Amino acid sequence: MTAAQSRNAAYALALLVPGGLMAGALISQYGFGLYPCEMCWWQRYPHIAAIVLALLAFTMKGRGAGDMAVILAAIATGISGLIGAFHAGVEYGWWEGVTACATVAASGGNPLDAIMNAPVIRCDVAPWSLFGISLAGFNFLISLSGAVLVFALLGKSRKGA
């Protein structure tokens, strides 16, 4: 792989990893009714920042500022992964969480009724898992792997340049 190919792959991954994870989170929420708890929201914020930074990087591609935006996007993705690791530990009962449960209020109608009838989403209960790995656990695995790969690809592109 050439230096240019490594750089292009790093830029693409910096966008695709958080973008794919956010898409999965939104599909699970709106398509399957898996509403996020407070800690799930914490994991989304760095992904949103990473998507913005990665898109910004594409506008500055080929300059040092573009690489810096990709680095910041990878850091944001890694932060989301670390939050996911903490959240997964809370779900598995390895340690205590730091928040109360969150609720999702429905829009429309009487606001008080919506608040009173909103589902309680617990941070310490995994609403879904595959092979014993919760969504927070998958976020940890995918986000940290993606961030490390972005750094490796950028490093390879700098050595080859």
Side-chain angles (χ1 to χ4, degrees):
M1 184 178 280
T2 68
Q5 290 172 325
S6 293
R7 177 171 275 113
N8 290 340
Y11 276 62
L13 274 176
L15 178 61
L16 292 176
V17 169
L21 288 169
M22 276 302 300
L26 293 172
I27 289 168
S28 70
Q29 178 179 347
Y30 294 107
F32 299 106
L34 296 175
Y35 294 104
C37 70
E38 186 173 347
M39 293 173 79
C40 293
W41 280 105
W42 294 355
Q43 294 168 75
R44 290 181 184 195
Y45 299 135
H47 282 314
I48 293 166
I51 291 167
V52 170
L53 287 163
L55 288 171
L56 184 63
F58 276 104
T59 67
M60 300 181 293
K61 196 170 185 178
R63 295 178 281 199
D67 284 1
M68 181 54 70
V70 167
I71 289 168
L72 292 173
I75 290 170
T77 301
I79 288 170
S80 178
L82 293 175
I83 296 168
F86 179 76
H87 187 190
V90 170
E91 290 173 336
Y92 298 138
W94 296 341
W95 46 72
E96 287 288 319
V98 295
T99 65
C101 294
T103 61
V104 177
S107 61
N110 183 342
L112 182 57
D113 286 341
I115 292 169
M116 296 305 291
N117 295 321
V120 174
I121 309 301
R122 296 179 51 112
C123 294
D124 61 347
V125 176
W128 182 89
S129 67
L130 179 65
F131 307 119
I133 302 172
S134 69
L135 291 171
F138 278 111
N139 181 47
F140 162 68
L141 294 171
I142 296 168
S143 292
L144 243 43
S145 298
V148 167
L149 189 54
V150 167
F151 283 121
L153 288 166
L154 273 182
K156 184 174 182 180
S157 74
R158 289 177 183 242
K159 283 183 182 177

